[in-house]
Amino acid sequence: MGRFENQVVVVTGAGSGFGAAMTRRFSDEGATVVAADINAAAAEAIASECGERVHAITTDVSSSDAVLEMIDRGQALGGINVLCNNAGFSHQSGRPWELEESEFDRVFDTNVKGVWLGVKHVVPHMIEQGGGVIINTASIGAVAPRPGVSVYNATKGAVLTLTMGLAVDLARYKIRVNALNPVAADTDFMKGALGVNELPDANREAIIKGIPLRRLTEPDDVAAAAAFLASDDASFITGVGLPIDGGRSIS
Ligand SMILES: NC(=O)c1ccc[n+]([C@@H]2O[C@H](COP(=O)([O-])OP(=O)(O)OC[C@H]3O[C@@H](n4cnc5c(N)ncnc54)[C@H](O)[C@@H]3O)[C@@H](O)[C@H]2O)c1
């Protein structure tokens, strides 16, 4: 009997990296999962890998109509217990003042507005159902920013502040809201931020040097933390930004 038997979990950005690992973890532990991604093929691929408990949907989290459709899908499957607002991306690393305005808007629309839209559309259902869990993927960059991705880090700071405020707003409805703060991982996200197809060894070594446990984040580290925060073991935990960073933020 898995921890999430008879539960419905919605994961955004489910087609790759952390979201794919969350989808595997929650479905392995018995949940019905709505795997949402802007990349339709990636959402379909994780759903067919995981089997009939995982339902793919194409969703751009920055579109209110699309997020509403995603939440309606989860409700039709029995009512959403857990929403993982995980989709996100970074502009390329570089001089923040040289970023195109359109890139600034896109990164805030996806990373910040996307989280808020998920909250906006799921919370009325969770209130009616008597509770729920919301988990937002922020970043260790929210609390310990490094140069080059300042605008991206600001989006994650906003996600963390939103998480803490919502935790207080929603506690009376038995809705817990927490954030995940991973350090660098070798996912498509990282390659996009660096503008490369493969993470060069020199970059990898430089990043690892700054992490006391001397490795990058693995997607399964993030999935395990999400499953913990979604579980009853975390029933008294709300409003935290959980570092998944091998000690980077305290070194
Ligand atoms: N990889 C890292 O180093 C790292 C570190 C800290 C935090 N994060 C955060 O973790 C989350 C997941 O990143 P990842 O490393 O798994 O990246 P990833 O690129 O492997 O996966 C992100 C997924 O989100 C999807 N996506 C992008 N824009 C979307 C949109 N508008 N609507 C719906 N889906 C969208 C992509 O198609 C992709 O499948 C992101 O929020 C990212 O900011 C990543």
Side-chain angles (χ1 to χ4, degrees):
M1 188 74 177
R3 286 186 289 181
F4 302 104
E5 215 77 43
N6 301 318
Q7 292 204 22
V8 175
V9 179
V10 175
V11 179
T12 69
S16 176
F18 301 163
M22 288 178 196
T23 301
R24 288 186 195 101
R25 180 79 186 226
F26 281 115
S27 66
D28 284 352
E29 293 207 39
T32 298
V33 181
V34 176
D37 205 290
I38 197 169
N39 179 335
E44 290 295 344
I46 189 72
S48 58
E49 176 198 317
C50 291
E52 61 186 20
R53 271 206 291 256
V54 176
H55 304 256
I57 185 165
T58 308
T59 306
D60 176 353
V61 296
S62 66
S63 153
S64 186
D65 288 349
V67 174
L68 183 59
E69 193 188 335
M70 172 186 83
I71 297 299
D72 284 348
R73 177 75 76 89
Q75 287 308 113
L77 290 166
I80 299 166
N81 302 92
V82 181
L83 170 64
C84 296
N85 284 312
N86 166 77
F89 86 105
S90 178
H91 53 85
Q92 269 194 31
S93 181
R95 297 171 169 178
W97 58 94
E98 289 178 356
L99 197 66
E100 292 295 330
E101 192 177 341
S102 58
E103 278 290 276
F104 179 98
D105 288 342
R106 193 179 148 217
V107 76
F108 264 85
D109 281 354
T110 304
N111 296 6
V112 184
K113 188 179 173 194
V115 169
W116 173 73
L117 285 173
V119 167
K120 177 178 173 59
H121 293 304
V122 85
V123 162
H125 296 296
M126 286 184 170
I127 290 175
E128 205 180 310
Q129 289 160 200
V133 176
I134 297 171
I135 297 172
N136 301 322
T137 306
S139 167
I140 208 61
V143 291
R146 291 280 188 269
V149 280
S150 303
V151 172
Y152 166 77
N153 283 333
T155 69
K156 296 303 187 174
V159 170
L160 192 55
T161 305
L162 188 59
T163 299
M164 292 189 287
L166 285 168
V168 180
D169 286 328
L170 297 175
R172 77 193 69 173
Y173 303 111
K174 297 191 171 24
I175 300 171
R176 295 186 297 106
V177 191
N178 289 295
L180 303 169
N181 288 347
V183 76
D186 187 356
T187 59
D188 290 349
F189 164 91
M190 171 68 89
K191 290 158 199 154
L194 292 171
V196 295
N197 291 326
E198 288 303 325
L199 186 62
D201 286 345
N203 287 70
R204 181 189 300 273
E205 282 159 25
I207 296 167
I208 288 175
K209 249 191 203 163
I211 301 174
L213 285 176
R214 294 284 184 268
R215 68 168 176 84
L216 301 180
T217 305
E218 292 295 333
D220 285 345
D221 298 324
V222 182
F228 165 67
L229 288 173
S231 77
D232 289 342
D233 288 338
S235 64
F236 202 49
I237 300 178
T238 198
V240 305
L242 181 65
I244 307 163
D245 72 341
R248 202 274 256 167
S249 52
I250 48 163
S251 67

